[in-house]
Amino acid sequence: MLCHRAALTFALTLTTATAAAPLTYREALTAALRHNPDIDAAALAVGTRQAQVWQAGLLPNPELRLEAENIGGSGDLAGVESAETTARLLQRVELGGKRPARVAVAEGERDTAAADVELRQAAVAASVAQAFVAVLAAQEQLHLADRLEALATETVAAVAAQARAGAASEVHVLRARLLRNEAVLLRLRRHQELTAARAALAALWADDDPPLTAAEGDLRHLAPPPPLPALLGRLDAAPELTRWQRELGARQSAVRAERAGAVPDLLLGAGPRYFSDTGDVALVAEVTLPLPVFDRRQGAIEAARSHLAAGEAERRAAAVALRAAVTRAQAALVAGYAQTAVLREHALPDADAALATSRAAFRRGALPLDELGDAQRALFDLRSREIEVLAAYHQTAAELERLLGRPPDDGEPTDPDALPGEVLR
């Protein structure tokens, strides 16, 4: 009786704690995308790259050069009477398309950084979906544990009544209490798992002290898994490969920039020269052109080419790994969908019927307590397994969405709070 009152007190406490408005999947996703520090850091990196684009497009600064000759010599050149003073303004003229090439490299790096933001957002969205599904599954598991404890409590009462009537011994009562105690321990463990799942979800938007809020969603709605060819047809548009295309574009621009760097720049200068002894003024002009005899950027060009070739190889490797990951995910979806069908159509109805028959036989005294306990455990183990399979299905769908991006719009409205496994196409 004391244990029953403790269970009731715990249930009332949990009900009070979860009295706040339930959290929807869309609310959780919005909070994470707005406040996740990883996304913030990636977005700031784009701002840095944009500033580098600005810097790359600036012209070289002009130079002002002042020269004085024939100062402090001997004879007629003593003092400053014979000084020649020259003021020149010099401007470097970049040739070979250096400035556009620099800007193209900076723009490519900025676009790659923007793709990194998209990848971070996709990763966070997948993490939110998986963590949200984990909370829903933990809630279902706790509810299931509550039901198992309630059944075990009813069994204790029934066996105690039989013992008072002389139809059961004290050993049977102790055995029934043992089964109930096991159910209480399971319920406490499920509650701890739910608390941990909620904390993991809230951490995605940097909430260190999350409220004990229920999540709102239904794990049981599943869309059939898409066929593998349809998924593989979306590989080229996958976020990771799109990011690699931008990275390769930046590396190609780097090769062109190094080639442009091999063309020497002109240095043009002009200004007046003042002759102190006569008071005359003359114009001085200067043209400087480096001779590319030794350094023609050979090493830098080859390094840029190698970097580009390495990127192309890495992109091919990423495509192979992505294809394998999508294939594994689709196989997991197919297996999960098949398991769900078997559980719903055969295993769970049979287990329900077995428990109902066992309980009726137990009440008549025709079935031992151990066999009734076995029937209860079999049913609740299957229901727990169903929750695990459903959660894994939705989490795999979220991973598939991270790998391939959002499925193309087919014109049908989608529930913004639908879990990933509900909207597979």
Side-chain angles (χ1 to χ4, degrees):
M1 187 65 180
L2 179 61
C3 183
H4 182 66
R5 285 198 298 269
L8 180 59
T9 301
F10 171 80
L12 290 174
T13 302
L14 182 61
T15 301
T16 302
T18 58
L23 180 71
T24 67
Y25 170 55
R26 179 56 50 186
E27 290 169 344
L29 181 59
T30 300
L33 293 178
R34 286 180 179 174
H35 305 296
N36 186 273
D38 287 339
I39 295 177
D40 292 341
L44 290 172
V46 176
T48 300
R49 297 299 186 182
Q50 182 58 46
Q52 291 172 345
V53 173
W54 180 21
Q55 180 64 41
L58 298 177
L59 292 170
N61 288 325
E63 300 177 23
L64 178 62
R65 184 176 299 174
L66 298 176
E67 294 180 3
E69 301 178 12
N70 302 332
I71 298 176
S74 60
D76 294 340
L77 300 180
V80 295
E81 289 78 6
S82 299
E84 298 178 6
T85 305
T86 306
R88 276 180 293 183
L89 188 66
L90 296 99
Q91 177 65 53
R92 181 176 299 278
V93 179
E94 293 181 301
L95 302 179
K98 291 185 180 66
R99 187 160 64 96
R102 277 199 314 272
V103 171
V105 171
E107 289 176 340
E109 292 175 346
R110 178 203 60 198
D111 293 343
T112 302
D116 287 335
V117 174
E118 295 170 4
L119 284 177
R120 294 277 183 93
Q121 290 173 334
V124 168
S127 297
V128 169
Q130 292 170 339
F132 191 85
V133 166
V135 172
L136 290 177
Q139 289 177 174
E140 292 283 345
Q141 295 284 15
L142 178 57
H143 178 62
L144 189 62
D146 286 338
R147 291 172 56 195
L148 179 60
E149 182 183 352
L151 278 179
T153 301
E154 291 178 10
T155 302
V156 169
V159 174
Q162 290 176 355
R164 288 193 298 270
S169 67
E170 187 62 26
V171 173
H172 293 95
V173 176
L174 293 175
R175 176 60 178 164
R177 288 177 179 172
L178 176 60
L179 294 175
R180 183 185 61 190
N181 292 336
E182 290 177 353
V184 170
L185 291 173
L186 176 62
R187 185 254 299 157
L188 292 174
R189 178 162 63 88
R190 295 303 191 193
H191 180 254
Q192 185 276 329
E193 291 171 354
L194 176 57
T195 301
R198 285 171 173 162
L201 175 60
L204 293 171
W205 57 85
D207 190 345
D208 296 329
D209 187 20
L212 193 61
T213 303
E216 183 178 66
D218 190 353
L219 294 174
R220 287 172 172 75
H221 289 168
L222 299 183
L228 183 59
L231 296 176
L232 296 180
R234 293 166 50 192
L235 282 179
D236 288 340
E240 183 178 359
L241 298 187
T242 299
R243 190 262 180 207
W244 266 113
Q245 287 303 113
R246 296 181 184 180
E247 171 71 21
L248 291 177
R251 295 189 187 190
Q252 289 168 349
S253 297
V255 173
R256 290 191 289 269
E258 293 298 343
R259 287 174 176 166
V263 180
D265 295 335
L266 280 175
L267 186 63
L268 304 178
R273 173 172 291 177
Y274 175 71
F275 297 87
S276 298
D277 54 353
T278 64
D280 295 331
V281 177
L283 180 66
V284 177
E286 175 183 339
V287 177
T288 302
L289 179 65
L291 299 179
V293 176
F294 304 110
D295 181 4
R296 299 187 300 278
R297 305 293 295 171
Q298 305 98 310
I301 293 172
E302 185 58 30
R305 286 174 176 170
S306 297
H307 195 214
L308 174 60
E312 291 170 343
E314 291 178 65
R315 194 265 182 198
R316 291 193 298 271
V320 172
L322 180 62
R323 184 184 185 91
V326 169
T327 301
R328 287 194 301 270
Q330 196 270 350
L333 289 177
V334 171
Y337 200 77
Q339 289 181 57
T340 302
V342 171
L343 284 166
R344 290 176 174 177
E345 297 171 12
H346 303 289
L348 286 172
D350 289 347
D352 278 328
L355 179 57
T357 302
S358 298
R359 287 178 64 82
F362 177 75
R363 285 193 295 268
R364 296 194 309 268
L367 187 73
L369 176 62
D370 289 346
E371 293 188 23
L372 174 62
D374 290 342
Q376 288 180 351
R377 277 192 296 268
L379 173 60
F380 281 87
D381 285 348
L382 285 173
R383 292 204 177 278
S384 178
R385 175 60 180 163
E386 180 195 23
I387 295 171
E388 293 172 357
V389 171
L390 291 170
Y393 190 91
H394 287 289
Q395 290 172 335
T396 302
E399 175 65 11
L400 196 57
E401 187 173 296
R402 182 190 70 81
L403 294 172
L404 295 177
R406 295 287 298 176
D409 187 8
D410 59 4
E412 296 181 1
T414 301
D415 181 358
D417 290 322
L419 300 177
E422 300 178 58
V423 294
L424 284 170
R425 290 194 291 272

